[in-house]
Amino acid sequence: MTEAPARPLEGLIDAIAARAAQGESISVATIQEIAGDRIAGPLLFFPAMIVVSPLSLIPTLPTIVGTTVVLIAGQLIAGRKSIWLPSRLSKAALSPERTRKALEFIRPVVKWIEKLSWARLTFLTDGLGMRLAAMVCILVALTMPPLELVPGASTSAGTIIATFGLALTTRDGLLLLAALALVLGSAFLLFRWLF
């Protein structure tokens, strides 16, 4: 099995930025085309990071991202190698200007995280581990529509999903375990607060 590239997301960002610089609007379908075989991680990471960015204040965007994540993660659980999305979702696009603003926010975060994340404990990012990550992403994504009622509240959900997406992209099993621990810790604190 080949190692994942050292900076897979940074390379993907460069390719997206080049398309946007040519005046192309960037959609999920564009990301699918650029990412190729290892599509699962980037398709979870990029929409989630848009929710983490200031663009999350765009009305209905967190709900659209949450719906997209549920559809993608559901297909990962089913073991699909290629991801299908309804035309309306796959073609929903950010303008070149909004793409540029989103990438300005995302790029430094990716550079910093990819220095700490690399292929390790890779067995956790395949098979059962990937399905478990996808199940957690679905549960987190389902919180996005109600969180949208509070401006910026969906950022935490986006951060968790983006972390899982990064772990799957870089095949970093340790990062995947850290993301699971973060979710379990947050769920425990919420339970304690409610009860």
Side-chain angles (χ1 to χ4, degrees):
M1 188 173 289
T2 58
E3 287 273 313
R7 298 284 185 267
L9 284 173
E10 194 172 344
L12 188 53
I13 285 173
D14 290 340
I16 292 170
R19 296 273 192 102
Q22 293 170 0
E24 185 177 337
S25 293
I26 303 300
S27 65
V28 174
T30 308
I31 296 171
Q32 283 180 297
E33 179 189 332
I34 294 171
D37 291 339
R38 290 203 62 85
I39 189 60
L43 271 188
L44 292 173
F45 178 82
F46 279 101
M49 281 302 292
I50 288 172
V51 174
V52 175
S53 81
L55 293 179
S56 65
L57 298 176
I58 297 173
T60 74
L61 184 63
T63 296
I64 291 170
V65 168
T67 303
T68 303
V69 167
V70 167
L71 289 171
I72 292 166
Q75 291 175 70
L76 294 181
I77 293 169
R80 285 181 58 92
K81 298 297 182 188
S82 59
I83 302 297
W84 171 88
L85 289 173
S87 178
R88 186 174 181 130
L89 278 179
S90 70
K91 292 181 179 176
L94 288 178
S95 67
E97 179 61 22
R98 281 188 168 164
T99 299
R100 185 186 62 77
K101 287 180 179 176
L103 293 181
E104 282 177 2
F105 176 84
I106 293 171
R107 189 185 294 274
V109 175
V110 166
K111 281 187 175 181
W112 180 75
I113 294 176
E114 282 194 330
K115 287 178 183 176
L116 306 175
S117 180
W118 60 88
R120 53 189 165 183
L121 301 177
T122 56
F123 67 94
L124 293 174
T125 63
D126 295 319
L128 185 60
M130 183 175 68
R131 285 177 169 84
L132 177 60
M135 286 172 56
V136 174
C137 285
I138 288 174
L139 293 174
V140 174
L142 290 174
T143 69
M144 285 187 171
L147 286 175
E148 190 175 345
L149 299 174
V150 180
S154 56
T155 298
S156 56
T159 301
I160 291 170
I161 294 169
T163 304
F164 279 112
L166 178 62
L168 293 176
T169 302
T170 59
R171 304 189 69 236
D172 188 346
L174 187 61
L175 182 60
L176 191 143
L177 288 176
L180 283 173
L182 177 63
V183 171
L184 291 173
S186 299
F188 175 75
L189 290 175
L190 178 62
F191 182 82
R192 289 288 301 270
W193 181 71
L194 291 174
F195 303 102

